[in-house]
Amino acid sequence: MTDKPRKKAAEALRSARWFAPDDLRAFGHRSRAMQMGYAPEEWKDRPVIAILNTWSDAQPCHMHFKSRVDDVKRGILMAGGFPIELPALSLSESLLKPTTMLYRNLLAMDAEELLRGHPVDGVVLMGGCDKTTPALLLGATSMNLPAIYLPAGPMLRGNWKGKTLGSGSDAWKYWDERRAGKISDKDWLDMEAGIARSYGTCMTMGTASTMTAIAEAIGMTLPGASSIPAADANHIRMASECGRRIVEMVWEDLTPKQIQTREAFENAIAVAMAMGCSTNAIIHLIAQARRAGQDIGLDDFEKASRKVPVIANVRPSGEAYLMEDFFYAGGLPGLMSRIRDHLHLDCLTVTGKTLGENIAQASVYDDDVIRPIDNPIYKEGALAVLKGNLAPDGCVIKPSACEARFLRHAGPALVFDDYPSMKKAIDDPDLDVTADHVLILRNAGPQGGPGMPEWGMLPIPTKLVRQGVRDMVRLSDARMSGTSYGACILHVAPESFVGGPLALVKNGDRITLDVAARTINLDVPEAELARRRAAWKPPARRFERGYGWMFSRHIRQANEGCDFDFLETGFGAPVGEPAIY
């Protein structure tokens, strides 16, 4: 137990509303707990700790959660708490279709209402696969009970014929080699068996590792928790420590609102830039900040991108290393120790200590994996925000992961209105396309996708692949996997499906890109654009009923975080505690 004085008395525990009164309803609560084999001594005057577990049989990233939850429970019991496991919606990036982004907000609602409706005093959030981290944090932030995040951890390095494979990044790379006729069917099958060798999330610097690092930078995980490989025994010990610490947090009344200040989100943006983060970080961080009542937007990312260099030499921004190497090199505490001048070190964290205190003893053990600030992978931050007449509300590119020659480019547009037609055309040997073209996919945003799928890394046309082309400018209102790379411009806002300028582009129109100037423009006279705008007709709605119907009517645009309007903090009065009668 903590040596700190308790701010909360046992009778003030939220769970006491369910269990303490001498009335018929509390009798029912207590008798049902006893029905499950629990004695009153197990919950009386003890914090009830929820464990939101996103394990499922369809979630390869979280396979170990089935047993890891027992380690969390062990820690909770050691610290004098009473654990209750609450299964939450599991969003498998690999298997859930059409896209997990369609359901991020559903898991956020699931998490918030699970906590609101149950006799819970604090919560351990078990996630890691791309959308589970932001979704769980969104829900827990809105509920504002003491909460700690337990990252799933990255899987072990992939291996094929002695080559180290990184999930996603090497899949895209070798797929192009197969399309070029350089990889056999047997090689491809062997690669399938070798690229994902253990439980855990993608071991490249994809969205999963980006978002768990962001959770740590905000202050919502134990120090170093986001870097520990899933299969490492350190991960088991960290899980148990999460259980012990959340009990102390309940007695200290340490809640997300005390931790998630504007400065904490600025720390997260700086860390993301230095990590070579996924472009998806922008959407999730903006949504998370708004839930915490903080006004974070694209301009905050743009400011950080000019100041904080990429120093994590991890694929896809880096060339050689993966998350396992990053952990051995000192992990996130080591990286943060090197960018401390860009951090607010006085921010509070779930440890009850400041970020500065948490990283005071951090070290880096490999200067090639985590570079010194004067020898970066990329001299500016991982992401750049572009604006212009094609994206008046902004779009994003990851310049650290694309060929330098495309950072300033002009070329004719080749436009596709949907993914099936693009996929079919890409394999056409007679497709009228050159390496200078700008491939455009539209109707793939929040409304149009639906759910803004990871379609933004458009495949290079097979005709060009066979000529040796491996990168070209691609533009869409979609997202892309954080494991992806290349000159992909994403999140164009407003999206084409609602009449954004991307809807007005025609084949052959000239697109001009200048990353240094942060501009993206359609070189068509305004009078012509006005004529096209007047002739544009909105597409048919994607959904006529169900969750998709609700999604379509309430989803925000990419630059606003893609949260539901009614879930943002400023929408209506706070929700009170549930009535118990």
Side-chain angles (χ1 to χ4, degrees), residues 327-365:
F327 172 65
Y328 299 145
L332 196 66
L335 178 138
M336 288 195 288
S337 74
R338 291 203 155 163
I339 62 165
R340 62 173 64 246
D341 291 345
H342 297 291
L343 301 176
H344 303 283
L345 298 175
D346 57 347
C347 285
L348 186 64
T349 72
V350 293
T351 63
K353 300 177 181 179
T354 65
L355 179 66
E357 290 175 301
N358 287 349
I359 67 172
Q361 304 302 316
S363 298
V364 173
Y365 309 110

Side-chain angles (χ1 to χ4, degrees), residues 148-227:
I148 193 167
Y149 193 78
L150 193 167
M155 68 177 88
L156 300 178
R157 303 183 193 93
N159 185 276
W160 171 67
K161 290 187 174 180
K163 293 182 174 68
T164 298
L165 295 180
S167 48
S169 299
D170 281 314
W172 321 129
K173 172 184 173 182
Y174 286 109
W175 176 243
D176 280 348
E177 295 305 306
R178 189 176 186 225
R179 292 165 65 212
K182 298 180 180 180
I183 296 288
S184 70
D185 290 348
K186 177 63 165 57
D187 286 336
W188 191 244
L189 181 62
D190 290 345
M191 203 175 295
E192 286 179 5
I195 199 166
R197 298 189 301 113
S198 77
Y199 47 75
T201 59
C202 291
M203 76 305 249
T204 43
M205 186 54 68
T207 304
S209 288
T210 291
M211 295 313 302
T212 55
I214 282 172
E216 182 171 340
I218 291 172
M220 292 299 293
T221 80
L222 294 172
S226 68
S227 310

Side-chain angles (χ1 to χ4, degrees), residues 416-468:
F416 302 100
D417 285 324
D418 56 67
Y419 198 90
S421 61
M422 181 275 296
K423 188 175 181 181
K424 181 179 179 181
I426 286 299
D427 290 328
D428 183 353
D430 298 320
L431 183 66
D432 186 12
V433 63
T434 69
D436 289 330
H437 270 85
V438 176
L439 301 183
I440 293 179
L441 175 65
R442 56 190 176 202
N443 298 317
Q447 296 267 9
M452 205 179 180
E454 291 184 341
W455 293 343
M457 188 182 172
L458 279 66
I460 306 295
T462 302
K463 169 184 173 180
L464 299 180
V465 168
R466 289 174 177 164
Q467 294 172 13

Side-chain angles (χ1 to χ4, degrees), residues 304-328:
S305 75
R306 295 290 196 180
K307 297 186 296 183
V308 186
V310 178
I311 63 171
N313 189 8
V314 179
R315 301 179 196 174
S317 290
E319 290 292 332
Y321 302 110
L322 297 170
M323 287 304 296
E324 191 176 347
D325 307 294
F326 182 75
F327 172 65
Y328 299 145

Side-chain angles (χ1 to χ4, degrees), residues 113-320:
E113 299 308 323
L114 280 170
L115 298 178
R116 177 171 289 112
H118 287 89
V120 169
D121 300 299
V123 58
V124 177
L125 306 165
M126 296 182 66
C129 191
D130 294 16
K131 309 308 178 296
T132 58
T133 300
L136 290 170
L137 287 172
L138 287 168
T141 298
S142 291
M143 189 58 201
N144 200 40
L145 294 178
I148 193 167
Y149 193 78
L150 193 167
M155 68 177 88
L156 300 178
R157 303 183 193 93
N159 185 276
W160 171 67
K161 290 187 174 180
K163 293 182 174 68
T164 298
L165 295 180
S167 48
S169 299
D170 281 314
W172 321 129
K173 172 184 173 182
Y174 286 109
W175 176 243
D176 280 348
E177 295 305 306
R178 189 176 186 225
R179 292 165 65 212
K182 298 180 180 180
I183 296 288
S184 70
D185 290 348
K186 177 63 165 57
D187 286 336
W188 191 244
L189 181 62
D190 290 345
M191 203 175 295
E192 286 179 5
I195 199 166
R197 298 189 301 113
S198 77
Y199 47 75
T201 59
C202 291
M203 76 305 249
T204 43
M205 186 54 68
T207 304
S209 288
T210 291
M211 295 313 302
T212 55
I214 282 172
E216 182 171 340
I218 291 172
M220 292 299 293
T221 80
L222 294 172
S226 68
S227 310
I228 305 171
D232 195 299
N234 284 287
H235 196 274
I236 298 173
R237 291 190 289 272
M238 180 269 292
S240 182
E241 188 178 350
C242 283
R244 294 191 297 274
R245 179 59 196 151
I246 190 60
V247 175
E248 296 174 353
M249 289 175 66
V250 170
W251 292 126
E252 295 165 15
D253 201 23
L254 179 55
T255 61
K257 283 187 179 177
Q258 296 167 253
I259 296 168
Q260 296 184 42
T261 61
R262 177 176 178 82
E263 290 74 19
F265 286 102
E266 289 175 350
N267 284 344
I269 294 171
V271 166
M273 291 297 173
M275 293 279 283
C277 66
S278 164
T279 50
N280 291 308
I282 290 182
I283 292 174
H284 299 315
L285 251 178
I286 289 174
Q288 174 69 15
R290 288 186 173 207
R291 289 289 188 102
Q294 307 299 334
D295 184 20
I296 293 291
L298 291 179
D299 288 345
D300 295 290
F301 286 87
E302 175 53 29
K303 290 174 185 175
S305 75
R306 295 290 196 180
K307 297 186 296 183
V308 186
V310 178
I311 63 171
N313 189 8
V314 179
R315 301 179 196 174
S317 290
E319 290 292 332

Side-chain angles (χ1 to χ4, degrees), residues 8 12-21 25-26 28-30 32-33 36 38 42-44 46-52 76 81-86 111-123 143 145-146 250 577-580:
K8 181 174 286 187
L13 290 171
R14 184 173 179 268
S15 58
R17 296 183 64 233
W18 275 260
F19 294 117
R25 185 56 61 204
H29 301 151
R30 293 189 296 268
R32 292 303 185 179
M36 293 186 284
Y38 300 119
E42 295 185 68
W43 73 75
K44 182 175 170 53
R46 296 172 180 264
V48 177
I49 305 298
I51 308 169
L52 295 198
I76 293 169
F82 179 60
I84 57 171
E85 181 182 359
L86 300 176
E112 181 178 349
E113 299 308 323
L114 280 170
L115 298 178
R116 177 171 289 112
H118 287 89
V120 169
D121 300 299
V123 58
M143 189 58 201
L145 294 178
V250 170
E577 288 288 349
I580 301 177

